[in-house]
């Protein structure tokens, strides 16, 4: 009698972002796949499309464009900003455009869940202006997230001399989200091994959240004590400054055009 000693697919592959479990109601398997995608997002050092412009200029463009879009009440200006962003996206490869528009659709769905109910209950809301603003802001944000990684974003904040407390908080938050994902993924793997051939209970969710909270609290206290013992201070001088490159010329022209259109309209 021969026995099948071949390991399942989810144990053979190293890439945990594209796993397909046999049962759609597999609570543990689905969460392992979701956590794999989340960890890939935090550790991904290559954006959807790599651009040569400086990260600090991308941050400035996003902030200034968002501010002007929120201040403007002119539909022509909002439509022009939308066309400028779409025209820039048209220069990207097809795969990059598809990836950015996937992010755009996710942002639209997330925004619609929280904003649309209150919007329809309001009788004085200008729907056309609102939808144009949201569309332009979300497309600009999707373009930024598709061309900028977390590492580049933190570097841009340092180059722009944002407060050190803000930069440190963001940096530690991202790293602790990654550590929390690793810990939760390892816990789910241990549950997966212990419940082979059995159905995992949904009551495990509460236990996992409690263990995750206690583990993160302990690690945060350890980090704080280590920073105190090493004499860490936020008074370290930042020697990073914005640098212009030849690739920054086109984004500067685009930003200047948006500012000119805002003043004109």
């Amino acid at each position: 009698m021969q026995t099948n000693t071949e390991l399942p697919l989810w144990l053979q592959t190293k890439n945990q972002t594209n796993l397909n479990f046999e049962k759609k109601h597999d609570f543990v398997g689905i969460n392992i796949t979701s956590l794999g995608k989340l960890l890939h997002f935090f550790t991904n050092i290559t954006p959807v499309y790599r651009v040569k412009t400086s990260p600090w200029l991308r941050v400035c463009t996003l902030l200034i464009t968002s501010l002007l879009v929120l201040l403007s009440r002119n539909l022509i200006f909002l439509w022009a900003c939308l066309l400028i962003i779409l025209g820039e996206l048209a220069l990207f490869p097809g795969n990059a455009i598809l990836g950015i528009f996937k992010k755009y659709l996710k942002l639209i769905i997330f925004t619609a869940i929280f904003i649309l109910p209150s919007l329809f209950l309001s009788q004085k809301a200008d729907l056309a202006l609102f939808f144009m603003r949201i569309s332009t802001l979300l497309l600009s944000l999707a373009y930024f997230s598709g061309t900028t990684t977390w590492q580049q974003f933190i570097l841009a904040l340092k180059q722009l001399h944002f407060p050190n407390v803000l930069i440190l908080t963001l940096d530690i938050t991202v790293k602790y989200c990654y550590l929390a994902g690793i810990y939760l993924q390892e816990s789910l793997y241990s549950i997966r091994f212990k419940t082979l051939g059995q159905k995992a209970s949904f009551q495990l969710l509460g236990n996992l959240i409690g263990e995750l909270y206690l583990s993160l609290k302990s690690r945060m206290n350890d980090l704080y004590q280590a920073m105190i013992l090493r004499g860490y201070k936020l008074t370290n001088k930042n020697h990073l400054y914005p640098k212009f490159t030849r690739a920054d010329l086109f984004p500067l022209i685009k930003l200047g055009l948006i500012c000119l259109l805002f003043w004109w309209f």
Side-chain angles (χ1 to χ4, degrees):
M1 182 177 179
Q2 296 181 354
T3 58
N4 186 11
T5 59
E6 185 178 353
L7 293 174
L9 180 62
W10 62 277
L11 283 176
Q12 297 180 24
T13 180
K14 294 182 179 180
N15 184 10
Q16 304 294 326
T17 60
N18 296 315
L19 294 180
N20 294 319
F21 291 91
E22 296 179 357
K23 299 180 180 180
K24 295 183 179 180
H25 59 273
D26 190 349
F27 169 74
V28 177
I30 292 174
N31 281 277
I32 288 176
T33 305
S34 302
L35 278 173
K37 294 179 180 179
L38 180 63
L39 295 175
H40 176 72
F41 170 76
F42 284 119
T43 57
N44 186 23
I45 59 174
T46 56
V48 176
Y49 181 68
R50 189 186 299 272
V51 294
K52 298 181 180 180
T53 57
S54 301
W56 67 269
L57 185 56
R58 278 175 257 159
V59 173
C60 290
T61 302
L62 176 66
L63 293 177
I64 295 175
T65 303
S66 301
L67 179 62
L68 296 181
V69 167
L70 290 174
L71 292 177
S72 177
R73 299 185 61 86
N74 191 293
L75 291 176
I76 299 177
F77 169 75
L78 298 177
W79 181 251
C81 290
L82 194 62
L83 289 178
I84 290 174
I85 300 174
L86 289 174
E88 192 171 5
L89 283 176
L91 302 176
F92 289 6
N95 293 334
I97 296 176
L98 183 61
I100 291 176
F101 269 93
K102 285 182 180 179
K103 293 177 179 290
Y104 180 54
L105 291 177
K106 291 178 182 178
L107 289 172
I108 288 179
I109 296 173
F110 181 79
T111 305
I113 293 174
F114 291 96
I115 295 182
L116 283 184
S118 61
L119 180 66
F120 286 120
L121 292 175
S122 178
Q123 299 179 355
K124 299 181 180 180
D126 189 347
L127 294 180
L129 180 63
F130 174 80
F131 284 123
M132 283 299 298
R133 277 180 176 172
I134 291 298
S135 300
T136 307
L137 285 174
L138 295 183
L139 184 59
S140 180
L141 183 59
Y143 172 84
F144 176 79
S145 62
T147 56
T148 308
T149 62
W150 274 107
Q151 294 80 1
Q152 293 176 341
F153 179 64
I154 296 297
L155 175 62
L157 295 182
K158 292 180 179 179
Q159 290 178 330
L160 294 173
H161 289 267
F162 273 69
N164 291 330
V165 176
L166 175 63
I167 299 175
L168 180 65
T169 303
L170 287 175
D171 195 16
I172 290 180
T173 301
V174 172
K175 291 178 180 178
Y176 265 94
C177 287
Y178 174 74
L179 289 177
I182 288 290
Y183 179 81
L184 191 56
Q185 190 180 47
E186 291 176 352
S187 300
L188 288 173
Y189 270 125
S190 64
I191 294 173
R192 181 74 174 178
F193 285 126
K194 293 177 182 178
T195 59
L196 283 176
Q198 303 177 11
K199 185 178 179 180
S201 174
F202 284 95
Q203 296 178 353
L204 292 172
L205 180 61
N207 297 334
L208 285 175
I209 293 176
E211 292 180 3
L212 181 64
Y213 169 75
L214 294 176
S215 175
L216 288 181
K217 183 179 179 181
S218 176
R219 295 186 183 189
M220 290 176 67
N221 290 329
D222 293 342
L223 174 64
Y224 179 71
Q225 295 297 331
M227 292 172 67
I228 292 178
L229 292 175
R230 294 179 181 179
Y232 182 83
K233 297 180 181 179
L234 290 174
T235 57
N236 297 331
K237 189 175 181 180
N238 186 4
H239 297 284
L240 295 175
Y241 295 96
K243 295 181 180 179
F244 287 94
T245 61
R246 186 177 299 178
D248 296 333
L249 182 60
F250 178 73
L252 283 174
I253 295 175
K254 183 191 75 171
L255 184 59
L257 179 60
I258 292 176
C259 295
L260 182 63
L261 290 173
F262 178 78
W263 175 80
W264 183 265
F265 292 106

